[in-house]
Amino acid sequence: MKPHRAGLVLLATTYLMVSGCAGDKLTREKALSLLKEKSEKDLPTQMVSIRTDIHIPNAAGEMRDQSIAVRRFYQALRSEGLLSGQVFVTEGETLSDESTATGYFYFPVPGPDVEGPVLDVEGWKSSFANKLEFPYTSLSLVVARATFAEVTGLTGEGETVEAVVRIEYQPTERVRRITQQQKATLADPFTQMRLSLVPNSPGSHKWGWPAEETLHTSETRRYLFRKYDDGWRVEGPR
């Protein structure tokens, strides 16, 4: 081979090797794409718990749970398909019909935004019959979900890289709709008190129905990436 051709071949080979190595480098854009593809479903959620037992006021007007504001809010939950069914009860802790009831229970509907075990009407009646007491019901509702927003930095060389990632929480569409439709209702002090009676699980909101702006939060996490023969993979959070 002539010298100038040999030089061209060497130059082309070197270029391809450098280009190939550069193409295998983990970039912020590539890391974000891999995270969204593989790990977004495992991100945490924000939740609230809401009691779903309602009291009807007596002749003296006590037990204000049947106020217009509270009724309006629970109707919104029902219209969103989050609650169904009613069991009517009396102060004597017996089952009754609507005409003699002093209270009633709604029941959460299983679905992607409802967490934990869900007690249905028949399950409630069975528990009531066996324990001779009211098994109180509550709705554990996902109010915000997290997404990977941005990879803000990469550290490490070779086949192992650590990424610094910003995660953002956004309210679910249901929460947006309920909040927009119920602004006046949710501002009612008694409604806020009524919604905060059930202790929430660790990490969730510990006070009533959240204001929508409080759900637009963010946090930083670190993820490890490792290079294999078929490309980069997310190994998991650090």
Side-chain angles (χ1 to χ4, degrees):
M1 180 180 295
K2 294 183 179 181
H4 72 281
R5 289 189 177 179
L8 289 173
V9 171
L10 178 60
L11 181 61
T13 303
T14 302
Y15 173 79
L16 290 173
M17 292 177 63
V18 171
S19 299
C21 291
D24 288 341
K25 182 180 179 180
L26 183 66
T27 64
R28 295 185 183 189
E29 293 76 13
K30 178 64 174 177
L32 183 62
S33 176
L34 289 172
L35 285 167
K36 286 180 174 291
E37 179 184 344
K38 299 293 184 182
S39 304
E40 201 157 70
K41 64 181 183 300
D42 299 322
L43 288 175
T45 59
Q46 295 187 25
M47 295 176 57
V48 293
S49 293
I50 302 168
R51 282 179 62 164
T52 58
D53 57 296
I54 313 299
H55 299 286
I56 300 173
N58 59 23
E62 297 171 346
M63 303 171 74
R64 291 182 55 218
D65 282 18
Q66 198 66 350
S67 67
I68 292 175
V70 171
R71 278 185 293 170
R72 192 174 291 158
F73 176 74
Y74 281 93
Q75 183 56 46
L77 295 181
R78 294 192 74 183
S79 67
E80 287 290 335
L82 295 169
L83 297 177
S84 70
Q86 286 178 291
V87 171
F88 293 95
V89 295
T90 68
E91 288 183 358
E93 298 192 350
T94 59
L95 297 176
S96 68
D97 57 31
E98 187 172 0
S99 62
T100 59
T102 59
Y104 54 92
F105 290 81
Y106 286 126
F107 296 88
V109 177
D113 293 336
V114 178
E115 295 276 329
V118 174
L119 190 66
D120 60 13
V121 173
E122 294 307 315
W124 186 93
K125 287 183 177 179
S126 174
S127 181
F128 172 76
N130 292 332
K131 297 180 180 179
L132 299 179
E133 63 182 21
F134 291 148
Y136 288 99
T137 57
S138 66
L139 170 67
S140 295
L141 180 66
V142 175
V143 292
R145 297 186 182 277
T147 59
F148 293 110
E150 180 185 13
V151 175
T152 59
L154 296 171
T155 58
E157 297 179 355
E159 297 181 348
T160 304
V161 173
E162 184 179 271
V164 180
V165 185
R166 182 167 59 85
I167 294 171
E168 290 184 348
Y169 289 89
Q170 297 290 337
T172 66
E173 287 303 314
R174 272 176 165 162
V175 168
R176 291 180 193 272
R177 288 194 297 268
I178 293 171
T179 301
Q180 289 299 314
Q181 295 169 7
Q182 301 290 313
K183 280 186 176 180
T185 295
L186 293 168
D188 173 64
F190 178 77
T191 305
Q192 278 290 329
M193 181 189 74
R194 182 69 177 81
L195 300 181
S196 64
L197 292 176
V198 171
N200 295 301
S201 57
S204 62
H205 291 276
K206 302 185 184 303
W207 45 270
W209 185 261
E212 186 177 2
E213 58 269 20
T214 68
L215 300 175
H216 294 273
T217 58
S218 64
E219 63 183 64
T220 298
R221 294 191 172 199
R222 295 176 180 271
Y223 285 81
L224 182 66
F225 291 78
R226 193 177 303 277
K227 182 181 176 183
Y228 291 85
D229 60 347
D230 60 347
W232 290 92
R233 300 181 194 173
V234 182
E235 291 288 288
R238 297 287 284 184

